[in-house]
Each structure stands twice: as structure tokens, then as C-alpha cells.
Amino acid sequence: DTGVSQDPRHKITKRGQNVTFRCDPISEHNRLYWYRQTLGQGPEFLTYFQNEAQLEKSRLLSDRFSAERPKGSFSTLEIQRTEQGDSAMYLCASSLPKASSSRETQYFGPGTRLLVL
Amino acid sequence: GEDVEQSLFLSVREGDSSVINCTYTDSSSTYLYWYKQEPGAGLQLLTYIFSNMDMKQDQRLTVLLNKKDKHLSLRIADTQTGDSAIYFCAEYNNFNKFYFGSGTKLNVKP
């Protein structure tokens, strides 16, 4: 396993269509995060999973967005009825927090760049 | 959310040192990180520092932390053209949250 992978790398869609992105984390990592990054900004937290449980969702995650991690391994992020404002890079990261330490290091995938026309 | 601020641009000549600065507001930050992002790519972890440390050195990278002023810096010695990228600082607190700055674009001129 060489790292976090995301698919597709690029997606162009028309406004109103649904899109789904996939993230495969580093295999032993139990935490998985989704971020959105717009041009000139750092990543903004969307949601995260501990194993299959979705523990937190940002206010940025409107009801058109849904994320799943059904078996605690890969995750999907779906955006329904896409809007032009959804155009961004969607980044996935995974981590394995150490119980003996407060340190958590996230490893990022290459991202999926979404363009909504 | 918490505020993490960085200057937007830095330009240096190849072989010089680069210093990228970051300020943060969350006093409960436990770890602070530096990530590098090249065009069209995800974020690559460069280094991190625990909040009770003042300095960490890792090859050409030196991280300095002034916890009192909530100021973090990343020094890259002998900067190379391959170091041209956007550098993000991020803070991590006890609530499993990462907050990223908006990034500093480093341009290295040959």
C-alpha cells in the first residue's frame, strides 16, 4: 500500500447532476477525513469517520452532501444536485492516532477536482 | 473555527534560506504541522512539532515555535527550485480537529 488514493482525479459535471467520489485510505488507518479546498485556500474540514462511524460533520456539509464508510475501509462522498459553488478540490486524508500519544498525523490523497458547469 | 494565518507569497533565490511564517489562535493546540502542496496534488506532510517544544530540525527543515506568541515558522535551508510549492501550516487540537492556513506560495528563482 503506497498511500491514500482517490477516484476520479477530475470530474466535470453539469449543474443539477449528482456526483460520487471514492477514497481508499492507507489500509490500517481507522480515521478518514474529507476536506474541501477552493483556489487560494487551505483545506476546510467537511467530515470524518472513525472506522465506519461518522463522528462529525461540518456546517459546510449541506444536506446535498452525504458521506459513507460502510465497512470502515473505503469511503464515498456524494454530492446531489450539484451547484457551481461546489466546484473545488475534494481531499481525503487518513490517519491512525496512537493511543499513547495525542499526536495524529494525516496523510492526504491527491484529491478529486470537481468542476460544475 | 480557529484562525490560522499565513502570508500569501514568498520569493527567494536558489541557495538562499526561506522562512515561512504562521500564526494561530487556539491555545489548546497540541501539535502543529507543515504540509507542502505541489500543483494539482494533495498535501504532503513535511514535519510537525509538539506544542511543548521550541524547535525541531529535520535535514534542511527547521521548525520554530513560539507558544507564547502563537507563532510558528518553517525555515528551509539551501532552497532549491524543487521546493517551489504552496506550504500550509495546520494546528491540531484535543478535539480531533485540524485547521489549516490559506497557504504560502513559495517561488524559488534560479
Side-chain angles (χ1 to χ4, degrees), chain B residues 42-77:
Chain B
L43 276 69
Q44 173 196 352
L45 176 68
L46 287 178
T47 188
Y48 63 90
I49 188 168
F50 186 43
S51 58
N52 70 352
M53 294 173 62
D54 297 325
M55 187 188 84
K56 179 178 180 181
Q57 185 147 6
D58 185 359
Q59 299 182 340
R60 291 192 297 123
L61 305 178
T62 303
V63 180
L64 295 178
L65 175 61
N66 181 327
K67 193 173 182 182
K68 175 175 169 288
D69 294 339
K70 298 189 183 69
H71 182 267
L72 180 73
S73 68
L74 174 69
R75 179 176 178 269
I76 306 173

Side-chain angles (χ1 to χ4, degrees), chain A residues 2-83:
Chain A
T2 56
V4 179
S5 62
Q6 292 186 245
D7 183 67
R9 295 291 308 277
H10 304 274
K11 179 71 178 177
I12 301 174
T13 191
K14 291 183 180 177
R15 191 176 48 173
Q17 299 293 305
N18 299 344
V19 294
T20 301
F21 309 141
R22 177 180 168 126
C23 170
D24 286 88
I26 294 172
S27 57
E28 66 270 22
H29 285 187
N30 57 2
R31 278 202 189 151
L32 187 149
Y33 294 76
W34 284 101
Y35 291 87
R36 182 172 69 188
Q37 185 181 22
T38 52
L39 201 62
Q41 298 297 317
E44 295 175 292
F45 169 80
L46 292 178
T47 188
Y48 91 96
F49 293 83
Q50 173 100 3
N51 299 312
E52 64 275 10
Q54 188 173 15
L55 295 187
E56 191 161 352
K57 293 194 288 188
S58 162
R59 288 190 301 273
L60 293 175
L61 213 66
S62 76
D63 56 8
R64 295 185 298 106
F65 287 68
S66 61
E68 294 183 344
R69 195 183 183 199
K71 297 180 182 177
S73 56
F74 74 90
S75 175
T76 58
L77 177 69
E78 181 183 17
I79 310 174
Q80 295 182 324
R81 305 181 304 280
T82 51
E83 300 173 356

Side-chain angles (χ1 to χ4, degrees), chain A residues 9 31 33 35 37 40-45 48 55-56 59 89 91 97 101-111 113, chain B residues 1 8 30-31 33 35 37 39-45 48 50 86 88 92-103:
Chain A
R9 295 291 308 277
R31 278 202 189 151
Y33 294 76
Y35 291 87
Q37 185 181 22
Q41 298 297 317
E44 295 175 292
F45 169 80
Y48 91 96
L55 295 187
E56 191 161 352
R59 288 190 301 273
M89 173 85 92
L91 293 165
S101 163
S102 57
R103 179 166 66 88
E104 177 177 353
T105 298
Q106 296 192 345
Y107 295 88
F108 282 80
R113 186 171 292 283
Chain B
L8 292 180
T30 53
Y31 283 88
Y33 296 80
Y35 282 87
Q37 187 176 37
L43 276 69
Q44 173 196 352
L45 176 68
Y48 63 90
F50 186 43
I86 300 176
F88 293 94
Y92 176 69
N93 62 21
N94 291 324
F95 302 101
N96 305 325
K97 284 288 190 65
F98 281 80
Y99 294 98
F100 288 83
S102 54

